[in-house]
Amino acid sequence: MRSRPTLSWTPGPDVLSLAPGIADVAPVAEVVADGGVVVLSGAGISTESGIPDYRGASGSLRTHTPMTYADFVGSETGRQRYWARSHLGWRTIARAAPNDGHRAVAVLQARGFLTGVITQNVDGLHQAAGARDVIELHGNLDRVICLDCRRTTPREELDRRLREANPAFEGVATRINPDGDVELPEDVVGGFRLVPCKSCGSALLKPDVVFFGENVPKPRVERCYSLIDEARAVLVLGSSLTVMSGFRFVRYAAKAGKEVLIVNQGITRGDPYATHRVNLPLGQALTELTAAV
């Protein structure tokens, strides 16, 4: 059974009554210095790499409705719209480079302060910065899966096939979204040709990511819970925690008596559970954090 997609969250009194986060990473650094920390990152850590988040001040949800699983599997028109837009958006994602925040996480891991990294992002930038054994909660745009035969292939292969099938396709990626697509006029989308799975001929080729309304695979969720069980603290980086797939880990950690550290610009759904809350840009905050521990 698929869950209903959660695209927004309205802060209640338990969040609005809290003091705003501080602009000092020192309390967070004290906890991280003792080690045993699991990072949970969101789209906010990639904004400085040119990939906007969903819900920040310039978040894409203000003008963009992301593709849902039901729309993708239930409509050929929906798949055509997604792949036309994502075909352009993928080029921007593939060119994106890690920023200071990604590099800081890799440094903290290399120094032994982090016992794990969980990311809600699908851009692969943590790994590009040198982080190891990253759990990609929502998958990665660099893979494609056939929903019928379950074969996975590199995104570069599909990109080449789509280029060959659409030699005259023209479009300008004026704005990239966190799910890897862009805005395109309907007349441009309508002429885009799809390609089938090379193994079974199915039309249901999908990026190997978790769409809104789709469940995260259970074994992946269990790996995340295991990391948190073994950790002393959870460090949330650049996530509003609106989506339950990430928020549940914060609640779980807090219930188990573990410290919850949140670094994010703006309030988050997890603020009532936070031991320390820092309101700073991620690149600046994490650069300061790595220097302090």
Side-chain angles (χ1 to χ4, degrees):
M1 181 177 178
R2 303 291 173 182
S3 59
R4 291 178 60 84
T6 301
L7 301 181
S8 63
W9 157 70
T10 301
D14 59 333
V15 172
L16 295 176
S17 63
L18 297 174
I22 63 175
D24 182 3
V25 300
V28 173
E30 289 182 10
V31 178
V32 173
D34 288 334
V37 177
V38 170
V39 159
L40 172 62
S41 72
I45 200 171
S46 292
T47 57
E48 294 173 42
S49 294
I51 303 172
D53 60 12
Y54 281 117
R55 300 173 179 86
S58 59
S60 69
L61 281 184
R62 297 173 184 268
T63 58
H64 163 70
T65 300
M67 175 62 67
T68 67
Y69 183 83
D71 288 341
F72 187 86
V73 300
S75 165
E76 182 178 354
T77 301
R79 292 191 293 276
Q80 181 188 46
R81 183 172 65 253
Y82 176 83
W83 280 119
R85 291 158 43 150
S86 184
H87 184 53
L88 288 180
W90 160 247
R91 301 173 195 174
T92 302
I93 293 284
R95 289 194 300 265
N99 62 52
D100 289 344
H102 298 111
R103 287 187 285 271
V105 170
V107 168
L108 291 171
Q109 185 185 46
R111 292 180 181 174
F113 297 114
L114 306 183
T115 56
V117 178
I118 304 166
T119 185
Q120 299 173 92
N121 300 340
V122 295
D123 52 36
L125 292 179
H126 275 302
Q127 297 92 318
R132 308 179 311 277
D133 301 323
V134 177
I135 297 179
E136 297 175 314
L137 190 63
H138 297 150
N140 195 309
L141 284 170
D142 68 359
R143 299 184 299 270
V144 176
I145 186 168
C146 173
L147 296 181
D148 282 331
C149 72
R150 309 306 296 181
R151 178 175 181 257
T152 59
T153 54
R155 180 64 177 264
E156 289 87 350
E157 178 182 314
L158 179 65
D159 184 66
R160 175 184 54 78
R161 295 177 63 207
L162 288 173
R163 288 174 186 265
E164 292 173 352
N166 298 276
F169 178 69
E170 295 182 358
V172 177
T174 56
R175 178 186 178 91
I176 182 69
N177 296 307
D179 52 354
D181 73 358
V182 298
E183 296 300 321
L184 282 178
E186 286 302 318
D187 59 331
V188 175
V189 170
F192 192 78
R193 293 183 58 196
L194 301 178
V195 295
C197 174
K198 290 181 68 174
S199 293
C200 71
S202 170
L204 292 178
L205 287 178
K206 173 181 171 290
D208 194 12
V209 301
V210 177
F211 280 177
F212 282 90
E214 183 178 8
N215 293 332
V216 178
K218 187 175 180 180
R220 195 178 302 167
V221 174
E222 290 174 346
R223 286 177 60 204
C224 294
Y225 280 129
S226 294
L227 276 181
I228 294 171
D229 282 337
E230 298 168 2
R232 294 179 46 258
V234 173
L235 173 59
V236 179
L237 303 175
S239 177
S240 66
L241 299 170
T242 294
V243 178
M244 182 57 71
S245 63
F247 177 53
R248 58 183 156 185
F249 300 124
V250 168
R251 290 199 310 187
Y252 181 82
K255 185 176 180 179
K258 301 174 189 294
E259 296 196 73
V260 173
L261 317 169
I262 298 179
V263 183
N264 187 67
Q265 286 191 285
I267 61 178
T268 85
R269 194 177 178 183
D271 287 357
Y273 303 92
T275 310
H276 300 292
R277 169 83 170 80
V278 175
N279 192 337
L280 283 174
L282 266 295
Q284 173 189 344
L286 289 175
T287 298
E288 295 176 3
L289 178 60
T290 54
V293 297

